[in-house]
Amino acid sequence: MIWDREHECMDRESLEKLQLGRLKQLVERLYQRVPHYRHALDARGILPKDIRSLEDLRRMPFTGKDDLRQNYPYGLFAVPLDEVVRLHASSGTTGKPTVVGYTWRDIGTWTELIARIVSQAGVTSADVAQVCFSYGLFTGAFGLHYGLEKVGATVVPSSAGNTDKQIMLMEDFGTTALISTPSYALYLAEAAREAGVEPRELNLKVGLFGGEPWTESMGRQIESMWGIKATDNYGLSEVIGPGVAGECLEGAGLHISEDHFLAEVIDPDTEEPLPYGEKGELVFTTLTKEAFPVLRYRTRDLAILDPEVCACGRTSVRMCKVMGRTDDMLIIRGVNVFPSQIESVLMSIRGIAPHYLLIVDTRGPLNQLEVQVEPDPTVFTGSFRDLEALEASVRRRLQSVLSISARVKLVEPKTLERTAGKSKRIQTA
Ligand code: DLL
């Protein structure tokens, strides 16, 4: 079903007219209300009134994670805090998270955008939708939640974890739609089998998966284990959260809600926009956000855009599945992790040498992270009890600062590789 036919099937000319009007308003608002953007526009000699066509977007400055870090926590908000009704956060590149805010109207916009993507995946008021994202600062759960309610689905906010209970709820409540990361969907299917429940015999029909990259082949595996249709949906906190783009049942890419987000693909090195069909870094400009609008936000995600009208009738540009990243961000059990964040945690712990190795084990359904560190021989006494205490304290710090559970392994001093050039600190097992 098409949730918002007027906007999802708009002809290009009307869409571009709408986008241009919204872009002008956005730049005006940013210029008036957010000093960071005013300075960035002034530095390029651009005034809001200079925007005459969508092409003018090319001249605008980019925004990146560093800008968010420098303006932490509220510096990029375009409304006073008393108009903000919700905060969410995702990983920053160092110790502090990236904070995003929503006005009441933003929550309404988000709800509509999610209603579009869940309808694209075929979810209706007849469905029982189990949301297995963790409810909290992560945008996944709350984001999907309201849009699912909007289409009238029966929402089961079971949150992440507690696998046995998830399976019991699925059986007892007759869940038909599973909302989670793709890796959690695989893990749940395995766990169900281990608990003596055959996933294919449950009532599930469809899954909406996102929050991390997954391949077509992983999708086929999820589909065959659960006996469902697996659909992909994409988003990021800085832009709104989930709801930026979603796959319809044609399975031919993810429709971007272009009346709310201007999408570009750029060459990450030259920063030049690339034509449709070429692989590059996705860049989004929010056209309607009030509390936390962004201008040309560099996602670091690599993808290709396709402007062809889809067989489903929607006219929006589609992005392919995310093909990789331009940086070294990892996603461990749905949590974004930058090696630089781990580094800053490690460096704050006494007794640890400034060398580490991250090993990402992708063999099971859920990624595992092992952090190998060397005890600092000048501080460390060598007793076994001290060693255990140090390991435990590193593990606790990583858990409390980054919300990730990692295995911590202390290795012999001076055994981790030192190189004169770029050190290789991430390995995949
Ligand atoms: O992961 C928003 C989201 C939640 C989307 C639930 C879909 C479902 P962040 O925590 O800010 O927001 O992480 C954003 O996750 O830049 C991508 O690298 C990655 N990502 C999100 N969805 C997908 C996807 C949420 N479908 C970052 N495919 C993004 C590949 C994805 N990568």
Side-chain angles (χ1 to χ4, degrees):
M1 170 197 156
I2 299 186
W3 176 257
D4 180 351
R5 187 170 289 278
E6 181 192 344
H7 293 103
E8 292 179 71
C9 302
M10 220 175 208
D11 65 88
R12 207 51 11 218
E13 202 186 321
S14 315
L15 177 68
E16 287 181 359
K17 207 166 143 216
L18 180 70
Q19 288 176 323
L20 179 59
R22 289 179 168 178
L23 178 66
K24 286 179 177 172
Q25 279 172 8
L26 168 80
V27 177
E28 181 68 45
R29 268 165 56 79
L30 290 177
Y31 194 81
Q32 298 303 337
R33 295 180 175 215
V34 187
H36 164 84
Y37 287 109
R38 183 174 330 120
H39 297 147
L41 289 162
D42 281 344
R44 295 196 169 210
I46 304 168
L47 286 171
K49 67 173 174 43
D50 295 338
I51 298 171
R52 292 194 189 86
S53 76
L54 289 174
E55 284 294 295
D56 291 324
L57 185 66
R58 286 170 165 257
R59 299 164 48 219
M60 302 281 149
F62 290 103
T63 310
K65 270 254 194 237
D66 278 350
D67 299 308
L68 272 59
R69 188 164 47 79
Q70 280 156 19
N71 289 284
Y72 177 84
Y74 302 138
L76 295 184
F77 283 21
V79 297
L81 212 53
D82 64 358
E83 287 177 38
V84 174
V85 300
R86 175 100 62 82
L87 296 176
H88 280 287
S90 69
S91 305
T93 43
T94 53
K96 296 284 187 192
T98 294
V99 185
V100 297
Y102 304 77
T103 62
W104 184 241
R105 200 171 139 233
D106 289 334
I107 298 285
T109 306
W110 199 10
T111 303
E112 280 293 312
L113 291 169
I114 298 290
R116 290 185 192 178
I117 66 159
V118 303
S119 303
Q120 274 170 28
V123 172
T124 67
S125 60
D127 282 290
V128 177
Q130 193 159 327
V131 180
C132 308
F133 285 128
S134 81
Y135 279 75
L137 287 173
F138 178 53
T139 52
F142 282 101
L144 265 302
H145 185 106
Y146 289 91
L148 285 161
E149 284 184 349
K150 182 90 190 189
V151 304
T154 308
V155 180
V156 182
S158 61
S159 204
N162 213 342
T163 310
D164 292 344
K165 192 165 168 195
Q166 300 278 9
I167 293 159
M168 181 189 84
L169 295 178
M170 270 180 199
E171 271 190 298
D172 296 352
F173 294 178
T175 301
T176 55
L178 174 62
I179 320 294
S180 70
T181 57
S183 55
Y184 194 58
L186 275 182
Y187 177 74
L188 269 179
E190 279 184 4
R193 279 192 186 152
E194 273 164 28
V197 177
E198 170 47 48
R200 297 181 68 94
E201 281 166 16
L202 293 171
N203 219 11
L204 275 193
K205 295 186 188 68
V206 65
L208 273 96
F209 305 118
E212 64 183 12
W214 50 308
T215 54
E216 295 284 351
S217 62
M218 186 165 167
R220 300 297 82 78
Q221 205 182 336
I222 295 174
E223 290 188 330
S224 84
M225 284 179 96
W226 285 103
I228 59 171
K229 172 81 186 159
T231 65
D232 194 356
N233 69 93
Y234 168 87
L236 61 162
S237 316
E238 294 87 336
V239 174
I240 201 159
V244 175
E247 208 175 17
C248 67
L249 296 174
E250 297 295 327
L254 286 71
H255 291 278
I256 297 176
S257 277
E258 287 184 282
D259 48 331
H260 294 275
F261 311 110
L262 270 182
E264 298 172 87
V265 162
I266 63 162
D267 177 323
D269 299 320
T270 65
E271 300 191 330
E272 282 304 313
L274 295 173
Y276 288 138
E278 280 190 33
K279 176 178 168 182
E281 180 182 340
L282 283 169
V283 171
F284 288 104
T285 297
T286 61
L287 293 173
T288 50
K289 289 255 302 289
E290 290 185 334
F292 190 82
V294 286
L295 187 58
R296 301 192 90 191
Y297 186 74
R298 291 190 60 169
T299 63
R300 306 275 169 192
D301 293 316
L302 294 169
I304 295 172
L305 296 181
D306 178 358
E308 286 295 307
V309 174
C310 182
C312 73
R314 293 180 182 85
T315 50
S316 52
V317 157
R318 280 162 292 147
M319 58 181 266
C320 68
K321 274 177 128 38
V322 171
M323 303 163 93
R325 290 199 42 101
T326 63
D327 62 10
D328 51 7
M329 185 180 90
L330 307 167
I331 304 187
I332 307 291
R333 295 164 171 255
V335 180
N336 301 353
V337 184
F338 289 93
S340 52
Q341 284 180 295
I342 297 184
E343 181 172 307
S344 62
V345 170
L346 295 177
M347 296 306 131
S348 70
I349 301 173
R350 205 175 110 83
I352 296 281
H355 300 282
Y356 62 91
L357 180 66
L358 308 180
I359 300 177
V360 185
D361 187 343
T362 54
R363 287 170 299 187
L366 294 177
N367 289 353
Q368 303 278 358
L369 177 67
E370 179 174 295
V371 179
Q372 295 192 355
V373 279
E374 295 175 2
D376 179 349
T378 60
V379 183
F380 189 62
T381 62
S383 93
F384 185 68
R385 192 188 294 173
D386 282 0
L387 203 72
E388 277 191 330
L390 189 58
E391 263 181 11
S393 99
V394 176
R395 205 169 34 244
R396 267 198 313 274
R397 290 277 298 162
L398 288 170
Q399 175 73 52
S400 78
V401 183
L402 308 179
S403 313
I404 49 164
S405 47
R407 263 209 349 240
V408 175
K409 192 167 160 195
L410 289 183
V411 298
E412 278 290 309
K414 302 212 167 53
T415 53
L416 293 177
E417 194 191 27
R418 276 91 165 137
T419 51
K422 275 183 195 272
S423 52
K424 200 170 173 298
R425 298 198 191 277
I426 307 173
Q427 268 178 21
T428 309

